[in-house]
Amino acid sequence: MPQAPFVPVIPAGGAGTRLWPLSRRDRPKFLLDLTGSGASLLQQTVARLAPLADRAPIVVTGVPHVAAVREQVGSDVQILAEPSPRNSMPAIALAAALVERDSPDAVIGSFAADHLIGDHASFARAVTAARHAAELGHLVTIGIRPTHAATGFGYIERVVERHLERDGEKMSADGGAGSGTAAAAGPTGMAAATGTAAATGTAAATERGATADGAAEGELRALGAVPVSRFVEKPDRDRAEAFLASGTFSWNAGIFVVRARVLLDELAEQIPGIAHGARAIAAAHGTQEYSSVLAEIWPRLTSIAIDHALAEPLAAAGKVAMVPGDFDWDDVGDFAALARQLREHRGSTGAGSAGSGRSDGSVCAGGPVGADGPDDSDGSDVQVLGAATVDALSSTATVYGSTDRHIALVGLQGISIVDTEDALLVLADEQAQTLARIVARLDENGHGHLR
């Protein structure tokens, strides 16, 4: 199959309030090395995508972060600066419009800058399959096989493979025939014949539509993709468990692959102002008028996520496909998720266990310690990132330390501690999602400088 050029787009924004005080306004989550790997989340994202790209990846980020992004990714990546946060849809639309201007048939893929992904070979295979499906004109997403009933992720429901009836034979969506019973003969007579002809015509039209839909679905499935029924926001526990039990739901990783032209044309149907505005800005890119056009149009673009702007309405119209992704993925949306990642992948990240000695790098390594030195007999499990020294008794915790303070833990279970020069956070991991409420109160309590 001929391939259209593929251009990765990386929206790099977000407040990262659930990872405060590690993540700050001037140092957001995507610029951080959260696992001690030696590379920031953004750098890891670019490294994963560069081998798959036919053109330089495009990073869309806020004006305050352009210098830091450039320092991290170098000159092989194109950077678009957005004057103000407008959520993911305008950012992706602007990148798509630039790609469309230079390569009208190109396929873009939007990938968050701040997610963790394992098994890069499996990831590359999923992206390649999504790219092929996108060349058929679909908006394609990659859904992650759920491993537990997560309430912190959105979900994608796939269409169960359909079976069509034709001439008494059962047909799968790819057009294959099965066993069936011959249709019964209709009634005789002039009036009956007329009615039968009309009914036959209606049935034939219905069959042709169903067969066409089945052929399109079969083509998708041949590429390793499946049609999507709907997108669902983060569910409560009961719904998440039902989704997991059904076997038809995947986690929404926020990955979208689509022809740039298709994205903008569909967006012109849904939210014309964003599509027209993005194309106008792209037309001025590289000219002396670019800054003034951007400043005039950008603030007027609707602030909305791509999920709500395109994915949900197009799924309802049968225009979204999903490639199942069988690789480790996490959006690292809070400290509970980060603690889980450090434990599931201990040894492959730079995190160490609590110990009695100081490390000379970013990790304090050793075994859990008691009063007499290293001893894990009390069952402590304390993971440490940063320069902190930690002693622990009967504790399960994750510690992120950047100060000279020595930290001692006794009898604490399921907590995260973040110790910085100007703020100290002690958090029960089961309450990790509520941290944003504390961060929101910093401004009103006169501590806005800490954000």
Side-chain angles (χ1 to χ4, degrees):
M1 173 186 294
Q3 287 190 345
F6 180 65
V7 185
V9 174
I10 305 171
T17 55
R18 293 186 180 91
L19 287 172
W20 179 89
L22 286 181
S23 179
R24 307 286 184 107
R25 279 175 176 154
D26 62 349
R27 196 74 175 169
K29 170 186 165 190
F30 61 85
L31 292 173
L32 304 178
D33 173 9
L34 291 178
T35 61
S37 68
S40 72
L41 296 178
L42 172 63
Q43 289 171 320
Q44 293 177 52
T45 301
V46 171
R48 277 194 302 272
L49 293 170
L52 308 177
D54 298 310
R55 305 281 191 276
I58 301 173
V59 176
V60 188
T61 194
V63 170
H65 305 130
V66 168
V69 168
R70 176 60 70 199
E71 180 180 358
Q72 287 200 359
V73 302
S75 58
D76 294 333
V77 172
Q78 182 178 1
I79 298 175
L80 289 178
E82 50 181 1
S84 60
R86 306 302 295 164
N87 217 313
S88 62
M89 189 69 262
I92 296 168
L94 176 55
L98 281 175
V99 172
E100 179 195 42
R101 187 190 70 171
D102 298 333
S103 302
D105 291 327
V107 172
I108 67 165
S110 174
F111 305 85
D114 55 4
H115 292 182
L116 285 174
I117 288 177
D119 190 354
H120 292 184
S122 180
F123 169 76
R125 287 192 295 270
V127 172
T128 299
R131 175 178 174 175
H132 290 323
E135 290 178 347
L136 299 178
H138 300 276
L139 174 66
V140 187
T141 187
I142 296 177
I144 308 301
R145 179 176 56 84
T147 57
H148 61 280
T151 58
F153 303 148
Y155 284 74
I156 306 165
E157 184 178 22
R158 72 174 185 270
V159 172
V160 178
E161 187 170 6
R162 293 172 292 189
H163 291 274
L164 312 173
E165 297 287 341
R166 188 179 74 189
D167 296 335
E169 294 184 318
K170 187 170 289 185
M171 307 288 295
S172 67
D174 61 4
S179 61
T181 304
T188 58
M190 182 71 70
T194 302
T196 300
T200 301
T202 301
T206 302
E207 179 188 317
R208 285 194 298 271
T211 302
D213 289 345
E217 182 175 328
E219 194 172 13
L220 273 179
R221 292 184 185 276
L223 294 173
V226 295
V228 166
S229 171
R230 60 175 174 146
F231 289 79
V232 184
E233 291 291 330
K234 298 175 183 178
D236 59 23
R237 175 63 58 183
D238 289 343
R239 292 187 76 203
E241 290 177 350
F243 291 168
L244 183 65
S246 74
T248 60
F249 285 84
S250 300
W251 287 335
N252 181 3
I255 297 172
F256 295 98
V257 181
V258 62
R259 284 193 190 274
R261 184 182 67 253
V262 169
L263 180 143
L264 291 165
D265 287 348
E266 293 289 357
L267 188 57
E269 294 291 325
Q270 302 295 329
I271 311 177
I274 298 181
H276 299 159
R279 279 170 162 154
I281 295 171
H285 189 264
T287 72
Q288 294 182 344
E289 292 75 32
Y290 177 69
S291 295
S292 60
V293 171
L294 179 65
E296 177 187 355
I297 295 176
W298 186 263
R300 303 204 305 262
L301 301 184
T302 303
S303 179
I304 187 172
I306 187 173
D307 303 69
H308 303 312
L310 276 187
E312 292 173 1
L314 293 190
K319 297 181 178 181
V320 179
M322 182 189 76
V323 171
D326 194 17
F327 48 83
D328 289 339
W329 165 87
D330 204 308
D331 69 354
V332 204
D334 57 36
F335 281 109
L338 184 51
R340 181 175 65 248
Q341 284 293 317
L342 293 176
R343 281 169 173 75
E344 289 179 355
H345 302 282
R346 78 177 78 216
S348 62
T349 69
S353 299
S356 57
R358 256 316 265 283
S359 73
D360 58 1
S362 63
V363 176
C364 180
V369 298
D372 299 321
D375 179 11
D376 60 4
S377 61
D378 70 345
S380 286
D381 181 3
V382 179
Q383 297 293 299
V384 183
L385 272 174
T389 58
V390 181
D391 283 356
L393 278 174
S394 303
S395 296
T396 301
T398 311
V399 179
Y400 313 86
S402 59
T403 71
D404 292 329
R405 276 186 287 272
H406 181 75
I407 298 173
L409 308 175
V410 180
L412 297 172
Q413 300 299 319
I415 66 167
S416 291
I417 298 171
V418 184
D419 185 24
T420 71
E421 293 292 345
D422 58 358
L424 171 66
L425 170 71
V426 181
L427 169 78
D429 288 341
E430 63 182 12
Q431 296 292 320
Q433 286 280 309
T434 62
L435 174 59
R437 291 165 55 188
I438 287 287
V439 178
R441 283 162 33 182
L442 289 173
D443 286 321
E444 61 191 63
N445 291 336
H447 299 299
H449 62 286
L450 296 176
R451 292 195 64 176

